Amino acid sequence: MDFEERQAEHIDYFVKKASTLKGHALANVVVEATSHPSLFAFSEILAIPSVLELEGTENSAFLDLLRMFAHGTWSEYKKLLLQYLWMHFSFLISFTFLCHVADVAGRLPQLVPDQVLKLKQLTVLTLAETDKVLPYDTLMQELDVSNVRELEDFLINDCMYVGIVRGKLNQLRRCFEVQFAAGRDIRPGQLGSMIDILGNWLATSDNLLVSIQEKIKWADTMGEIDQKHKKVVEERVEEVKKTLSMKADIDYPGHEENFSELGGVMDHDQDRNRPKR
């Protein structure tokens, strides 16, 4: 079973499971889905009405978490964490400190190791969307990896063997050359730009098709002209042959009879010179 088929099966499983649950029970489904080693698409789960109803509730953090796994990266998660920590620090002198800590903890669930791994895998897919040559330095920074050996082990064991990417590790150039990368969920606002890109591609294809049709028409026209020219040349050759044949008849009339008579004279002379008995 290929990667797309496995994805479809896992998505169908979690969609059916989440559709029958509400509230805190959905939080457990979100954690299970974002920790699953073979699930890398979450837009179908996000579209479930009961999941969207988590917005503004005590479990809204898990909706934010699901959105992060659908569209975010590991570095974006860290930035969000730092923002919350800065807000946390700004409330140190406030009487609402304890309430704010509880709010931060509720909005930013702690990731388990499987979720950390998953978010880093998704980060590689995001980077591969825009660039097919990923420098090691960029990957190590985005993934919080300290050395090349650890990075290459991650790319081989947790990305290529899983099937989400295919490529070549170029140690000489210190980069990962991407040959294939699984697609991620479409981000909000990304659909419009994709439509524009496809529209431009369609317009370019139409122009190319018109150009090809014009070239074909030109080739057909040139072929017809060539055939007509060939026919004219053949007709002229035949005319020249007929003209040469007629001229030969005029210049040497009865040349076949002359040759016969000449042959007869030669035979008579030979007979006359033949010794008699």
Side-chain angles (χ1 to χ4, degrees):
M1 183 181 299
D2 60 15
F3 177 80
E4 288 77 11
E5 290 178 348
R6 293 197 303 270
Q7 283 289 288
E9 284 191 0
H10 297 318
I11 290 170
D12 184 62
Y13 167 79
F14 282 106
V15 167
K16 290 180 178 178
K17 187 173 183 178
S19 299
T20 61
L21 302 173
K22 289 184 177 295
H24 185 70
L26 280 174
N28 296 328
V29 176
V30 170
V31 173
E32 182 183 356
T34 54
S35 303
H36 196 283
S38 300
L39 181 63
F40 297 89
F42 306 93
S43 59
E44 289 85 352
I45 304 174
L46 273 172
I48 299 173
S50 58
V51 174
L52 295 175
E53 290 173 359
L54 293 176
E55 188 77 59
T57 68
E58 60 181 356
N59 296 302
S60 62
F62 294 94
L63 178 59
D64 294 336
L65 181 67
L66 190 59
R67 287 170 176 162
M68 176 62 68
F69 275 80
H71 310 125
T73 63
W74 174 247
S75 61
E76 291 173 353
Y77 174 81
K78 290 191 301 176
K79 289 178 182 178
L80 186 61
L81 179 61
L82 289 175
Q83 290 175 2
Y84 284 142
L85 291 176
W86 177 253
M87 291 171 61
H88 174 108
F89 177 77
S90 67
F91 275 79
L92 284 176
I93 58 175
S94 171
F95 288 104
T96 58
F97 168 68
L98 293 178
C99 295
H100 180 70
V101 171
D103 179 62
V104 171
R107 292 188 60 188
L108 196 66
Q110 183 68 34
L111 298 184
V112 299
D114 289 340
Q115 289 174 311
V116 173
L117 173 62
K118 173 67 65 63
L119 197 52
K120 289 184 176 183
Q121 290 171 319
L122 294 170
T123 299
V124 174
L125 297 184
T126 297
L127 294 174
E129 288 178 354
T130 56
D131 196 353
K132 298 307 178 186
V133 178
L134 305 178
Y136 279 179
D137 292 338
T138 300
L139 288 170
M140 287 191 291
Q141 181 179 357
E142 291 290 329
L143 301 174
D144 272 345
V145 176
S146 59
N147 57 73
V148 172
R149 176 62 181 273
E150 183 181 356
L151 173 64
E152 291 183 340
D153 287 344
F154 171 78
L155 292 173
I156 294 172
N157 299 324
D158 298 316
C159 294
M160 287 193 280
Y161 282 173
V162 174
I164 59 175
V165 294
R166 290 196 299 269
K168 178 182 177 182
L169 300 175
N170 192 325
Q171 296 178 336
L172 182 62
R173 296 178 55 193
R174 288 175 55 87
C175 67
F176 177 52
E177 300 172 357
V178 181
Q179 299 171 348
F180 160 82
R184 291 198 64 180
D185 296 305
I186 298 176
R187 301 177 184 85
Q190 190 179 15
L191 183 60
S193 62
M194 291 179 64
I195 292 175
D196 292 339
I197 292 173
L198 291 175
N200 293 334
W201 175 82
L202 181 61
T204 302
S205 299
D206 289 339
N207 294 333
L208 181 60
L209 180 60
V210 171
S211 178
I212 292 174
Q213 290 174 341
E214 290 177 350
K215 293 294 184 182
I216 293 175
K217 185 177 179 180
W218 176 83
D220 291 340
T221 302
M222 295 303 296
E224 293 176 359
I225 294 174
D226 183 67
Q227 289 296 326
K228 291 179 181 179
H229 178 71
K230 182 178 179 181
K231 184 176 180 181
V232 170
V233 171
E234 290 176 350
E235 291 175 352
R236 288 182 179 179
V237 169
E238 290 298 325
E239 290 178 0
V240 170
K241 288 181 179 179
K242 291 180 181 179
T243 300
L244 292 176
S245 177
M246 292 175 62
K247 183 175 178 58
D249 291 340
I250 293 173
D251 292 342
Y252 303 100
H255 57 281
E256 293 181 355
E257 291 80 357
N258 291 337
F259 287 146
S260 297
E261 292 177 358
L262 181 60
V265 172
M266 293 177 64
D267 292 342
H268 176 72
D269 292 340
Q270 291 175 357
D271 183 68
R272 187 179 56 183
N273 295 328
R274 186 180 302 163
K276 297 182 181 180
R277 291 182 182 180

